[in-house]
Amino acid sequence: MVPALLSPPDAEKTPGYWNKGARRRLELALALQPAAQRAKNIILFMGDGMGLSTVSAARIYKGQLAGGSGEESVLAMETFPHVALAKVSGAVCPTALARAPPTSVGSRWTPSCTGPGWQVWGSRKRKSVGIVTTTRVQHASPGAAYAHSASRGWYADTNMPKEALRDGCKDIAWQLVHNTDINVILGGGRMYMTPRWTPDPEYPEDADQNGTRKDGRDLIAEWLNAKQGARYVWDKKGLDAVEDDSVSHLMGRSITAYPSIVEMTEKAIRILRRNPNGFFLFVEDEIDHGHHSGRAKQALMEAVMLDRAVARAGELTSPADTLTVVTADHSHVFTFGGSTPRGNSIFGLAPKKAKDKRAYTSILYGNGPGYSIRDGTRPAASLPDYRQQAAVPLETETHSGEDVVVLAQGPMAHLFHGVQEQHYIAHAMAYAACLEPYATEPGCRLAVAPGSPLAPALEALG
């Protein structure tokens, strides 16, 4: 990784500080060589809603959390040597990241009822596979990893129309445990896995948390019975108690007493990396929810936590055999500015007042619930219930359409360059790890671990 170029604030006032920093970065760039070997492991980090402005603001917030001015900070993901921009595909971003071309706006997935997503790559190559998310594992982005559905909302059979059930379509929770072999599943969504009225282990007195399935199936029990060495946990205490070498399959997460995305990512990697053929891991953080509610602090804290997970993954793996990619499915109408001075709180006020003589925060939204007019004017930024302002009143803030960043390190990371269509990301990852449809490309024999059952077959292919 590129080292962070940090220095006391006074040093930043001298030309030598900036010249020295530029020279060091130039030397690093000149020394950079493409890692042309194939990847044994792939980790895809997706910040849901993590646009470029969110990345920049999270960098400052990270630095200020550490006691600095903020601007001097460097995110772990920003140390990756290869960068690209990806065009977003509106409401179908998970489909694009799952290697499919963009489908019609308004439907997350192609309108077929069954069939695995890109997580099947790992199982066909005998790699271990895993999903880590801070939202429901049946949610749009993780769901695209293993399910095909005409609607992103078909979490359980309860959420499906009668016509779809009659035609043999399966809900997303069912597909999670039946479509392909996923070794680690850490996220929310318990209620979609158990029969209707089944009490939740964490909230047994709350009927709203009960199971919802009409078919009476306990998908958690089915998954446990079908997997040797499988464990199910529902809180941080249970996750911490799992010995890395004692399980081959792990499912779980709670709602309140839950482990952080850093802890879930670490546990997933420690289990998955035991496979000599390697692994594929998808990690998602829901930055999206904070932005939709117009709460920038929530969104930026999630972005910082995702970056901590990226850093921890880097400590547990090696760029010599692991391709790590960080990207987003889309951005938000979120921005910050106002000519604020260096070191100004990322959640603070702009230095000058607006034409109405009132202050405003440097963070603003293009639309959303932060729009407010009181007594014919904007509310004072000092009010306890003040939110970052939005220009257009909406119940929930919207996504935006600009490109998102793609950062990569490890084998074949140089394939991530320029401006690409979003589904190119999945194709580049597949090529890097000799996964379909690139499994027989030159050099792919070298990606198979010694003693793998696939070795003789690939050897025969030449």
mmCIF file of all heavy atoms in Angstrom, residues 209-253:
data_model
loop_
_atom_site.group_PDB
_atom_site.id
_atom_site.type_symbol
_atom_site.label_atom_id
_atom_site.label_comp_id
_atom_site.label_asym_id
_atom_site.label_seq_id
_atom_site.Cartn_x
_atom_site.Cartn_y
_atom_site.Cartn_z
ATOM 1 N N GLN A 209 -41.143 -8.911 14.792
ATOM 2 C CA GLN A 209 -39.890 -9.572 14.412
ATOM 3 C C GLN A 209 -40.083 -11.074 14.153
ATOM 4 O O GLN A 209 -39.120 -11.779 13.842
ATOM 5 C CB GLN A 209 -38.841 -9.379 15.512
ATOM 6 C CG GLN A 209 -38.533 -7.930 15.855
ATOM 7 C CD GLN A 209 -37.964 -7.165 14.685
ATOM 8 O OE1 GLN A 209 -37.278 -7.719 13.829
ATOM 9 N NE2 GLN A 209 -38.247 -5.870 14.643
ATOM 10 N N ASN A 210 -41.325 -11.555 14.257
ATOM 11 C CA ASN A 210 -41.593 -12.974 14.043
ATOM 12 C C ASN A 210 -41.289 -13.394 12.610
ATOM 13 O O ASN A 210 -41.241 -12.564 11.699
ATOM 14 C CB ASN A 210 -43.061 -13.293 14.349
ATOM 15 C CG ASN A 210 -43.365 -13.275 15.834
ATOM 16 O OD1 ASN A 210 -42.446 -13.208 16.655
ATOM 17 N ND2 ASN A 210 -44.637 -13.323 16.185
ATOM 18 N N GLY A 211 -41.143 -14.716 12.416
ATOM 19 C CA GLY A 211 -40.961 -15.248 11.079
ATOM 20 C C GLY A 211 -42.150 -14.929 10.186
ATOM 21 O O GLY A 211 -43.272 -14.697 10.677
ATOM 22 N N THR A 212 -41.944 -14.910 8.876
ATOM 23 C CA THR A 212 -42.996 -14.489 7.944
ATOM 24 C C THR A 212 -43.356 -15.543 6.897
ATOM 25 O O THR A 212 -44.293 -15.341 6.138
ATOM 26 C CB THR A 212 -42.558 -13.215 7.188
ATOM 27 O OG1 THR A 212 -41.418 -13.514 6.371
ATOM 28 C CG2 THR A 212 -42.225 -12.093 8.147
ATOM 29 N N ARG A 213 -42.651 -16.668 6.841
ATOM 30 C CA ARG A 213 -42.863 -17.612 5.736
ATOM 31 C C ARG A 213 -44.221 -18.304 5.835
ATOM 32 O O ARG A 213 -44.592 -18.871 6.859
ATOM 33 C CB ARG A 213 -41.756 -18.662 5.690
ATOM 34 C CG ARG A 213 -40.355 -18.083 5.483
ATOM 35 C CD ARG A 213 -39.393 -19.171 5.058
ATOM 36 N NE ARG A 213 -39.744 -19.710 3.754
ATOM 37 C CZ ARG A 213 -39.438 -19.140 2.588
ATOM 38 N NH1 ARG A 213 -38.755 -18.005 2.573
ATOM 39 N NH2 ARG A 213 -39.797 -19.705 1.458
ATOM 40 N N LYS A 214 -44.962 -18.315 4.693
ATOM 41 C CA LYS A 214 -46.252 -18.994 4.631
ATOM 42 C C LYS A 214 -46.104 -20.485 4.367
ATOM 43 O O LYS A 214 -47.000 -21.266 4.691
ATOM 44 C CB LYS A 214 -47.105 -18.372 3.521
ATOM 45 C CG LYS A 214 -47.562 -16.957 3.794
ATOM 46 C CD LYS A 214 -48.590 -16.492 2.776
ATOM 47 C CE LYS A 214 -48.036 -16.467 1.362
ATOM 48 N NZ LYS A 214 -49.007 -15.929 0.389
ATOM 49 N N ASP A 215 -44.967 -20.884 3.758
ATOM 50 C CA ASP A 215 -44.807 -22.292 3.399
ATOM 51 C C ASP A 215 -44.417 -23.167 4.595
ATOM 52 O O ASP A 215 -44.269 -24.382 4.466
ATOM 53 C CB ASP A 215 -43.799 -22.469 2.270
ATOM 54 C CG ASP A 215 -42.411 -21.918 2.607
ATOM 55 O OD1 ASP A 215 -42.162 -21.586 3.787
ATOM 56 O OD2 ASP A 215 -41.577 -21.816 1.684
ATOM 57 N N GLY A 216 -44.211 -22.558 5.759
ATOM 58 C CA GLY A 216 -43.893 -23.310 6.954
ATOM 59 C C GLY A 216 -42.475 -23.839 7.025
ATOM 60 O O GLY A 216 -42.127 -24.580 7.949
ATOM 61 N N ARG A 217 -41.630 -23.440 6.098
ATOM 62 C CA ARG A 217 -40.272 -23.970 6.059
ATOM 63 C C ARG A 217 -39.351 -23.154 6.960
ATOM 64 O O ARG A 217 -39.456 -21.925 7.038
ATOM 65 C CB ARG A 217 -39.744 -23.972 4.625
ATOM 66 C CG ARG A 217 -40.589 -24.803 3.690
ATOM 67 C CD ARG A 217 -40.086 -24.797 2.280
ATOM 68 N NE ARG A 217 -38.863 -25.594 2.129
ATOM 69 C CZ ARG A 217 -38.452 -26.070 0.956
ATOM 70 N NH1 ARG A 217 -39.137 -25.843 -0.136
ATOM 71 N NH2 ARG A 217 -37.347 -26.784 0.895
ATOM 72 N N ASP A 218 -38.452 -23.851 7.618
ATOM 73 C CA ASP A 218 -37.406 -23.212 8.413
ATOM 74 C C ASP A 218 -36.121 -23.319 7.601
ATOM 75 O O ASP A 218 -35.426 -24.338 7.640
ATOM 76 C CB ASP A 218 -37.253 -23.912 9.765
ATOM 77 C CG ASP A 218 -36.271 -23.199 10.686
ATOM 78 O OD1 ASP A 218 -35.393 -22.480 10.170
ATOM 79 O OD2 ASP A 218 -36.378 -23.381 11.912
ATOM 80 N N LEU A 219 -35.814 -22.280 6.859
ATOM 81 C CA LEU A 219 -34.671 -22.330 5.945
ATOM 82 C C LEU A 219 -33.347 -22.377 6.693
ATOM 83 O O LEU A 219 -32.363 -22.913 6.171
ATOM 84 C CB LEU A 219 -34.707 -21.124 4.998
ATOM 85 C CG LEU A 219 -35.899 -21.065 4.045
ATOM 86 C CD1 LEU A 219 -35.815 -19.807 3.171
ATOM 87 C CD2 LEU A 219 -35.964 -22.310 3.168
ATOM 88 N N ILE A 220 -33.311 -21.832 7.890
ATOM 89 C CA ILE A 220 -32.078 -21.903 8.685
ATOM 90 C C ILE A 220 -31.799 -23.356 9.054
ATOM 91 O O ILE A 220 -30.671 -23.847 8.910
ATOM 92 C CB ILE A 220 -32.189 -21.030 9.954
ATOM 93 C CG1 ILE A 220 -32.335 -19.556 9.567
ATOM 94 C CG2 ILE A 220 -30.965 -21.225 10.847
ATOM 95 C CD1 ILE A 220 -32.624 -18.631 10.733
ATOM 96 N N ALA A 221 -32.828 -24.056 9.510
ATOM 97 C CA ALA A 221 -32.664 -25.465 9.869
ATOM 98 C C ALA A 221 -32.298 -26.299 8.643
ATOM 99 O O ALA A 221 -31.446 -27.196 8.726
ATOM 100 C CB ALA A 221 -33.948 -25.992 10.507
ATOM 101 N N GLU A 222 -32.930 -26.015 7.509
ATOM 102 C CA GLU A 222 -32.616 -26.755 6.281
ATOM 103 C C GLU A 222 -31.151 -26.553 5.898
ATOM 104 O O GLU A 222 -30.467 -27.500 5.488
ATOM 105 C CB GLU A 222 -33.526 -26.289 5.138
ATOM 106 C CG GLU A 222 -34.971 -26.714 5.298
ATOM 107 C CD GLU A 222 -35.830 -26.269 4.123
ATOM 108 O OE1 GLU A 222 -35.266 -25.968 3.041
ATOM 109 O OE2 GLU A 222 -37.068 -26.225 4.278
ATOM 110 N N TRP A 223 -30.682 -25.320 6.026
ATOM 111 C CA TRP A 223 -29.294 -25.017 5.668
ATOM 112 C C TRP A 223 -28.333 -25.727 6.618
ATOM 113 O O TRP A 223 -27.338 -26.314 6.175
ATOM 114 C CB TRP A 223 -29.100 -23.497 5.728
ATOM 115 C CG TRP A 223 -27.754 -23.013 5.294
ATOM 116 C CD1 TRP A 223 -27.326 -22.786 4.027
ATOM 117 C CD2 TRP A 223 -26.657 -22.665 6.161
ATOM 118 N NE1 TRP A 223 -26.042 -22.320 4.034
ATOM 119 C CE2 TRP A 223 -25.604 -22.233 5.319
ATOM 120 C CE3 TRP A 223 -26.473 -22.662 7.534
ATOM 121 C CZ2 TRP A 223 -24.378 -21.808 5.839
ATOM 122 C CZ3 TRP A 223 -25.247 -22.251 8.045
ATOM 123 C CH2 TRP A 223 -24.223 -21.834 7.202
ATOM 124 N N LEU A 224 -28.635 -25.716 7.899
ATOM 125 C CA LEU A 224 -27.775 -26.377 8.875
ATOM 126 C C LEU A 224 -27.725 -27.886 8.643
ATOM 127 O O LEU A 224 -26.667 -28.515 8.729
ATOM 128 C CB LEU A 224 -28.275 -26.096 10.294
ATOM 129 C CG LEU A 224 -28.009 -24.690 10.844
ATOM 130 C CD1 LEU A 224 -28.775 -24.479 12.141
ATOM 131 C CD2 LEU A 224 -26.522 -24.463 11.063
ATOM 132 N N ASN A 225 -28.861 -28.492 8.331
ATOM 133 C CA ASN A 225 -28.919 -29.934 8.125
ATOM 134 C C ASN A 225 -28.209 -30.363 6.848
ATOM 135 O O ASN A 225 -27.744 -31.511 6.746
ATOM 136 C CB ASN A 225 -30.375 -30.404 8.080
ATOM 137 C CG ASN A 225 -31.061 -30.282 9.427
ATOM 138 O OD1 ASN A 225 -30.413 -30.332 10.471
ATOM 139 N ND2 ASN A 225 -32.383 -30.106 9.409
ATOM 140 N N ALA A 226 -28.118 -29.457 5.878
ATOM 141 C CA ALA A 226 -27.520 -29.805 4.588
ATOM 142 C C ALA A 226 -26.009 -29.605 4.558
ATOM 143 O O ALA A 226 -25.341 -30.052 3.622
ATOM 144 C CB ALA A 226 -28.170 -28.983 3.479
ATOM 145 N N LYS A 227 -25.454 -28.938 5.568
ATOM 146 C CA LYS A 227 -24.026 -28.601 5.549
ATOM 147 C C LYS A 227 -23.303 -29.243 6.730
ATOM 148 O O LYS A 227 -23.671 -29.008 7.882
ATOM 149 C CB LYS A 227 -23.813 -27.077 5.622
ATOM 150 C CG LYS A 227 -24.699 -26.262 4.695
ATOM 151 C CD LYS A 227 -24.352 -26.447 3.248
ATOM 152 C CE LYS A 227 -25.238 -25.566 2.380
ATOM 153 N NZ LYS A 227 -25.005 -25.819 0.941
ATOM 154 N N GLN A 228 -22.308 -30.007 6.436
ATOM 155 C CA GLN A 228 -21.483 -30.552 7.512
ATOM 156 C C GLN A 228 -20.626 -29.439 8.101
ATOM 157 O O GLN A 228 -20.073 -28.623 7.374
ATOM 158 C CB GLN A 228 -20.585 -31.665 6.983
ATOM 159 C CG GLN A 228 -21.241 -33.028 6.978
ATOM 160 C CD GLN A 228 -20.233 -34.133 6.766
ATOM 161 O OE1 GLN A 228 -19.247 -33.951 6.062
ATOM 162 N NE2 GLN A 228 -20.472 -35.285 7.385
ATOM 163 N N GLY A 229 -20.509 -29.414 9.415
ATOM 164 C CA GLY A 229 -19.672 -28.407 10.059
ATOM 165 C C GLY A 229 -20.262 -27.013 10.008
ATOM 166 O O GLY A 229 -19.529 -26.022 10.053
ATOM 167 N N ALA A 230 -21.613 -26.910 9.916
ATOM 168 C CA ALA A 230 -22.264 -25.600 9.824
ATOM 169 C C ALA A 230 -22.652 -25.087 11.207
ATOM 170 O O ALA A 230 -23.002 -25.859 12.111
ATOM 171 C CB ALA A 230 -23.495 -25.682 8.935
ATOM 172 N N ARG A 231 -22.595 -23.755 11.388
ATOM 173 C CA ARG A 231 -22.997 -23.103 12.629
ATOM 174 C C ARG A 231 -23.911 -21.934 12.303
ATOM 175 O O ARG A 231 -23.742 -21.255 11.294
ATOM 176 C CB ARG A 231 -21.773 -22.575 13.382
ATOM 177 C CG ARG A 231 -21.008 -23.606 14.170
ATOM 178 C CD ARG A 231 -21.655 -23.967 15.507
ATOM 179 N NE ARG A 231 -21.751 -22.821 16.412
ATOM 180 C CZ ARG A 231 -20.763 -22.424 17.211
ATOM 181 N NH1 ARG A 231 -19.583 -23.038 17.178
ATOM 182 N NH2 ARG A 231 -20.942 -21.415 18.023
ATOM 183 N N TYR A 232 -24.873 -21.705 13.195
ATOM 184 C CA TYR A 232 -25.752 -20.546 13.092
ATOM 185 C C TYR A 232 -25.625 -19.736 14.374
ATOM 186 O O TYR A 232 -25.733 -20.281 15.482
ATOM 187 C CB TYR A 232 -27.198 -20.977 12.883
ATOM 188 C CG TYR A 232 -28.196 -19.851 13.022
ATOM 189 C CD1 TYR A 232 -28.258 -18.834 12.072
ATOM 190 C CD2 TYR A 232 -29.059 -19.783 14.120
ATOM 191 C CE1 TYR A 232 -29.160 -17.792 12.203
ATOM 192 C CE2 TYR A 232 -29.965 -18.747 14.261
ATOM 193 C CZ TYR A 232 -30.004 -17.749 13.292
ATOM 194 O OH TYR A 232 -30.892 -16.706 13.435
ATOM 195 N N VAL A 233 -25.370 -18.431 14.254
ATOM 196 C CA VAL A 233 -25.273 -17.547 15.414
ATOM 197 C C VAL A 233 -26.174 -16.345 15.169
ATOM 198 O O VAL A 233 -26.476 -16.007 14.027
ATOM 199 C CB VAL A 233 -23.821 -17.086 15.664
ATOM 200 C CG1 VAL A 233 -22.920 -18.278 15.968
ATOM 201 C CG2 VAL A 233 -23.279 -16.319 14.463
ATOM 202 N N TRP A 234 -26.604 -15.695 16.255
ATOM 203 C CA TRP A 234 -27.477 -14.535 16.071
ATOM 204 C C TRP A 234 -27.078 -13.330 16.916
ATOM 205 O O TRP A 234 -27.828 -12.358 17.005
ATOM 206 C CB TRP A 234 -28.934 -14.913 16.346
ATOM 207 C CG TRP A 234 -29.195 -15.508 17.683
ATOM 208 C CD1 TRP A 234 -29.206 -16.822 18.000
ATOM 209 C CD2 TRP A 234 -29.510 -14.793 18.890
ATOM 210 N NE1 TRP A 234 -29.488 -16.995 19.336
ATOM 211 C CE2 TRP A 234 -29.688 -15.767 19.902
ATOM 212 C CE3 TRP A 234 -29.657 -13.449 19.224
ATOM 213 C CZ2 TRP A 234 -30.001 -15.422 21.215
ATOM 214 C CZ3 TRP A 234 -29.965 -13.107 20.522
ATOM 215 C CH2 TRP A 234 -30.133 -14.088 21.505
ATOM 216 N N ASP A 235 -25.887 -13.362 17.485
ATOM 217 C CA ASP A 235 -25.404 -12.166 18.175
ATOM 218 C C ASP A 235 -23.868 -12.154 18.164
ATOM 219 O O ASP A 235 -23.225 -13.118 17.747
ATOM 220 C CB ASP A 235 -25.949 -12.081 19.609
ATOM 221 C CG ASP A 235 -25.514 -13.267 20.476
ATOM 222 O OD1 ASP A 235 -24.743 -14.132 19.992
ATOM 223 O OD2 ASP A 235 -25.966 -13.329 21.631
ATOM 224 N N LYS A 236 -23.311 -11.053 18.615
ATOM 225 C CA LYS A 236 -21.861 -10.898 18.606
ATOM 226 C C LYS A 236 -21.180 -11.927 19.493
ATOM 227 O O LYS A 236 -20.112 -12.458 19.146
ATOM 228 C CB LYS A 236 -21.485 -9.486 19.060
ATOM 229 C CG LYS A 236 -19.988 -9.182 18.990
ATOM 230 C CD LYS A 236 -19.700 -7.773 19.448
ATOM 231 C CE LYS A 236 -18.229 -7.419 19.284
ATOM 232 N NZ LYS A 236 -17.328 -8.340 20.028
ATOM 233 N N LYS A 237 -21.798 -12.228 20.618
ATOM 234 C CA LYS A 237 -21.216 -13.214 21.525
ATOM 235 C C LYS A 237 -21.083 -14.563 20.831
ATOM 236 O O LYS A 237 -20.063 -15.248 20.929
ATOM 237 C CB LYS A 237 -22.077 -13.343 22.776
ATOM 238 C CG LYS A 237 -21.549 -14.329 23.809
ATOM 239 C CD LYS A 237 -22.459 -14.388 25.036
ATOM 240 C CE LYS A 237 -21.936 -15.395 26.042
ATOM 241 N NZ LYS A 237 -22.837 -15.478 27.242
ATOM 242 N N GLY A 238 -22.113 -14.949 20.085
ATOM 243 C CA GLY A 238 -22.072 -16.213 19.365
ATOM 244 C C GLY A 238 -21.026 -16.211 18.272
ATOM 245 O O GLY A 238 -20.325 -17.208 18.058
ATOM 246 N N LEU A 239 -20.903 -15.080 17.572
ATOM 247 C CA LEU A 239 -19.903 -14.994 16.504
ATOM 248 C C LEU A 239 -18.493 -15.084 17.068
ATOM 249 O O LEU A 239 -17.634 -15.790 16.522
ATOM 250 C CB LEU A 239 -20.068 -13.686 15.728
ATOM 251 C CG LEU A 239 -19.149 -13.518 14.516
ATOM 252 C CD1 LEU A 239 -19.566 -14.458 13.393
ATOM 253 C CD2 LEU A 239 -19.148 -12.067 14.023
ATOM 254 N N ASP A 240 -18.253 -14.379 18.170
ATOM 255 C CA ASP A 240 -16.921 -14.399 18.781
ATOM 256 C C ASP A 240 -16.535 -15.795 19.256
ATOM 257 O O ASP A 240 -15.352 -16.144 19.303
ATOM 258 C CB ASP A 240 -16.867 -13.424 19.963
ATOM 259 C CG ASP A 240 -16.941 -11.967 19.528
ATOM 260 O OD1 ASP A 240 -16.705 -11.692 18.333
ATOM 261 O OD2 ASP A 240 -17.250 -11.106 20.377
ATOM 262 N N ALA A 241 -17.541 -16.599 19.622
ATOM 263 C CA ALA A 241 -17.269 -17.936 20.150
ATOM 264 C C ALA A 241 -16.935 -18.946 19.059
ATOM 265 O O ALA A 241 -16.457 -20.039 19.365
ATOM 266 C CB ALA A 241 -18.468 -18.425 20.957
ATOM 267 N N VAL A 242 -17.184 -18.596 17.808
ATOM 268 C CA VAL A 242 -16.919 -19.524 16.709
ATOM 269 C C VAL A 242 -15.416 -19.612 16.469
ATOM 270 O O VAL A 242 -14.760 -18.602 16.171
ATOM 271 C CB VAL A 242 -17.637 -19.082 15.420
ATOM 272 C CG1 VAL A 242 -17.209 -19.951 14.243
ATOM 273 C CG2 VAL A 242 -19.138 -19.137 15.599
ATOM 274 N N GLU A 243 -14.868 -20.802 16.589
ATOM 275 C CA GLU A 243 -13.457 -21.021 16.278
ATOM 276 C C GLU A 243 -13.298 -21.118 14.761
ATOM 277 O O GLU A 243 -14.035 -21.840 14.105
ATOM 278 C CB GLU A 243 -12.959 -22.304 16.939
ATOM 279 C CG GLU A 243 -12.998 -22.277 18.456
ATOM 280 C CD GLU A 243 -11.990 -21.303 19.038
ATOM 281 O OE1 GLU A 243 -10.997 -20.995 18.347
ATOM 282 O OE2 GLU A 243 -12.178 -20.845 20.181
ATOM 283 N N ASP A 244 -12.318 -20.390 14.233
ATOM 284 C CA ASP A 244 -12.167 -20.299 12.782
ATOM 285 C C ASP A 244 -12.022 -21.655 12.111
ATOM 286 O O ASP A 244 -12.505 -21.868 10.995
ATOM 287 C CB ASP A 244 -10.948 -19.429 12.437
ATOM 288 C CG ASP A 244 -11.044 -18.048 13.061
ATOM 289 O OD1 ASP A 244 -12.161 -17.609 13.371
ATOM 290 O OD2 ASP A 244 -9.985 -17.416 13.250
ATOM 291 N N ASP A 245 -11.345 -22.575 12.757
ATOM 292 C CA ASP A 245 -11.081 -23.870 12.143
ATOM 293 C C ASP A 245 -12.093 -24.937 12.541
ATOM 294 O O ASP A 245 -11.910 -26.115 12.243
ATOM 295 C CB ASP A 245 -9.665 -24.350 12.493
ATOM 296 C CG ASP A 245 -9.445 -24.456 14.005
ATOM 297 O OD1 ASP A 245 -10.367 -24.099 14.765
ATOM 298 O OD2 ASP A 245 -8.357 -24.908 14.398
ATOM 299 N N SER A 246 -13.176 -24.522 13.217
ATOM 300 C CA SER A 246 -14.154 -25.505 13.684
ATOM 301 C C SER A 246 -15.381 -25.581 12.792
ATOM 302 O O SER A 246 -16.220 -26.464 12.970
ATOM 303 C CB SER A 246 -14.596 -25.168 15.113
ATOM 304 O OG SER A 246 -15.349 -23.962 15.131
ATOM 305 N N VAL A 247 -15.523 -24.656 11.869
ATOM 306 C CA VAL A 247 -16.710 -24.631 11.013
ATOM 307 C C VAL A 247 -16.300 -24.498 9.552
ATOM 308 O O VAL A 247 -15.266 -23.908 9.225
ATOM 309 C CB VAL A 247 -17.657 -23.465 11.379
ATOM 310 C CG1 VAL A 247 -18.167 -23.601 12.804
ATOM 311 C CG2 VAL A 247 -16.977 -22.120 11.195
ATOM 312 N N SER A 248 -17.119 -25.074 8.684
ATOM 313 C CA SER A 248 -16.937 -24.887 7.245
ATOM 314 C C SER A 248 -17.971 -23.921 6.692
ATOM 315 O O SER A 248 -17.778 -23.320 5.639
ATOM 316 C CB SER A 248 -17.055 -26.229 6.523
ATOM 317 O OG SER A 248 -18.355 -26.795 6.726
ATOM 318 N N HIS A 249 -19.116 -23.782 7.429
ATOM 319 C CA HIS A 249 -20.204 -22.897 7.010
ATOM 320 C C HIS A 249 -20.707 -22.127 8.222
ATOM 321 O O HIS A 249 -20.872 -22.700 9.305
ATOM 322 C CB HIS A 249 -21.358 -23.701 6.398
ATOM 323 C CG HIS A 249 -21.028 -24.344 5.093
ATOM 324 N ND1 HIS A 249 -20.210 -25.454 4.999
ATOM 325 C CD2 HIS A 249 -21.388 -24.028 3.821
ATOM 326 C CE1 HIS A 249 -20.099 -25.798 3.727
ATOM 327 N NE2 HIS A 249 -20.798 -24.954 2.999
ATOM 328 N N LEU A 250 -20.951 -20.828 8.018
ATOM 329 C CA LEU A 250 -21.401 -19.971 9.118
ATOM 330 C C LEU A 250 -22.481 -19.032 8.622
ATOM 331 O O LEU A 250 -22.342 -18.393 7.580
ATOM 332 C CB LEU A 250 -20.230 -19.162 9.677
ATOM 333 C CG LEU A 250 -20.559 -18.158 10.790
ATOM 334 C CD1 LEU A 250 -21.038 -18.879 12.052
ATOM 335 C CD2 LEU A 250 -19.338 -17.295 11.104
ATOM 336 N N MET A 251 -23.577 -18.940 9.388
ATOM 337 C CA MET A 251 -24.671 -18.024 9.067
ATOM 338 C C MET A 251 -25.053 -17.260 10.320
ATOM 339 O O MET A 251 -25.079 -17.817 11.413
ATOM 340 C CB MET A 251 -25.892 -18.793 8.544
ATOM 341 C CG MET A 251 -27.120 -17.908 8.278
ATOM 342 S SD MET A 251 -28.641 -18.853 7.921
ATOM 343 C CE MET A 251 -28.268 -19.491 6.294
ATOM 344 N N GLY A 252 -25.372 -15.976 10.178
ATOM 345 C CA GLY A 252 -25.911 -15.260 11.319
ATOM 346 C C GLY A 252 -25.683 -13.777 11.331
ATOM 347 O O GLY A 252 -25.006 -13.224 10.476
ATOM 348 N N ARG A 253 -26.297 -13.119 12.288
ATOM 349 C CA ARG A 253 -26.129 -11.731 12.688
ATOM 350 C C ARG A 253 -27.378 -11.291 13.397
ATOM 351 O O ARG A 253 -28.480 -11.711 13.058
ATOM 352 C CB ARG A 253 -25.876 -10.813 11.498
ATOM 353 C CG ARG A 253 -25.677 -9.341 11.904
ATOM 354 C CD ARG A 253 -25.345 -8.495 10.685
ATOM 355 N NE ARG A 253 -25.241 -7.113 11.022
ATOM 356 C CZ ARG A 253 -26.183 -6.214 10.799
ATOM 357 N NH1 ARG A 253 -27.307 -6.582 10.265
ATOM 358 N NH2 ARG A 253 -26.003 -4.950 11.128
#
